[in-house]
């Protein structure tokens, strides 16, 4: 099980998320991932020196939400954009 290709693991995660999770759980997970992505992206301005090294990590929650479900991944991406507009309106 450990040496399976990455796509097999992604299929297992995708199936378990779409078939076993309720709609409220799906929305909650995507909202938390979007919040994490927006916080990591905003770290570049909020923490001047270390934030530049933390900011590229914002792609990990976005990729994870796309692996979970394409529909909810796009929703999470839009939510991340709106959260960034709220956090950093001057950028």
């Amino acid at each position: 099980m450990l040496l399976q290709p990455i796509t097999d693991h992604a299929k297992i995660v995708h199936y378990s998320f779409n078939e076993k999770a309720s709609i409220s759980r799906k929305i909650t997970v995507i909202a938390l991932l979007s919040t994490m992505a927006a916080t990591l992206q905003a770290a570049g301005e909020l923490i001047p020196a270390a934030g530049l090294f933390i900011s590229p990590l914002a792609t990990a929650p976005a990729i994870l939400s796309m692996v979970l479900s394409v529909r909810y991944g796009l929703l999470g991406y839009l939510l991340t954009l709106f959260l960034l507009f709220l956090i950093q309106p001057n950028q």
Side-chain angles (χ1 to χ4, degrees):
M1 180 99 170
L2 184 63
L3 298 176
Q4 291 179 349
I6 294 175
T7 57
D8 291 341
H9 291 291
K11 286 179 186 177
I12 293 169
V13 170
H14 176 76
Y15 173 76
S16 65
F17 182 75
N18 285 325
E19 297 297 322
K20 296 179 182 178
S22 64
I23 294 175
S24 60
R25 178 168 283 193
K26 290 177 185 177
I27 292 173
T28 304
V29 167
I30 297 301
L32 289 173
L33 287 172
S34 297
T35 304
M36 187 184 310
T39 305
L40 289 171
Q41 185 65 37
E45 184 176 326
L46 299 176
I47 308 169
L52 296 175
F53 297 106
I54 297 172
S55 180
L57 298 176
T59 57
I63 291 172
L64 182 59
S65 65
M66 289 297 280
V67 166
L68 292 175
S69 173
V70 175
R71 175 188 290 165
Y72 288 110
L74 293 174
L75 178 69
Y77 182 74
L78 290 174
L79 180 61
T80 302
L81 287 175
F82 289 130
L83 286 172
L84 282 172
F85 283 136
L86 290 175
I87 293 172
Q88 297 178 334
N90 58 354
Q91 296 297 321

